[in-house]
Amino acid sequence: MESAEWDISFRSTVHAARLRFAEEPRTAVRFPGTGERESTSHSDRDHLPEKVAPSHDYRDVTVGYRLETRLAGEPEHRRSGADEAGRRQS
């Protein structure tokens, strides 16, 4: 995806001296609501594989995570007939 102005840009970094999973994690990223979006998410991992093994100790783990999203297309209030202040036009 090209460089863009994002409506939401979230970045986080976590570190663990020791990390163990009881079971294989299930993860998902969802953007509920209406309107079309352009979104991206990415994680960078140190000492943690993409697919982790349950009951295995991972040490000195660092995970950097980035999530970015923006609305695409025409703003919702213009499509629905609302005026500039967001009030419904009659």
Side-chain angles (χ1 to χ4, degrees), residues 5-44:
E5 282 282 322
W6 299 103
D7 293 325
I8 297 172
S9 180
F10 173 83
R11 294 171 189 255
S12 179
T13 302
V14 295
H15 177 78
R18 178 180 160 273
L19 182 62
R20 175 187 283 244
F21 294 89
E23 58 187 49
E24 187 175 329
R26 292 176 292 179
T27 62
V29 176
R30 290 185 291 275
F31 298 93
T34 60
E36 294 181 35
R37 292 178 187 74
E38 295 176 7
S39 305
T40 184
S41 66
H42 178 76
S43 65
D44 291 311

Side-chain angles (χ1 to χ4, degrees), residues 51-62:
K51 185 172 174 128
V52 298
S55 302
H56 180 82
D57 285 342
Y58 297 97
R59 301 207 180 265
D60 192 27
V61 172
T62 301

Side-chain angles (χ1 to χ4, degrees), residues 1 8 49-50 61 63 72 78 86:
M1 177 177 285
I8 297 172
E50 192 67 32
V61 172
V63 178
R78 294 197 193 275

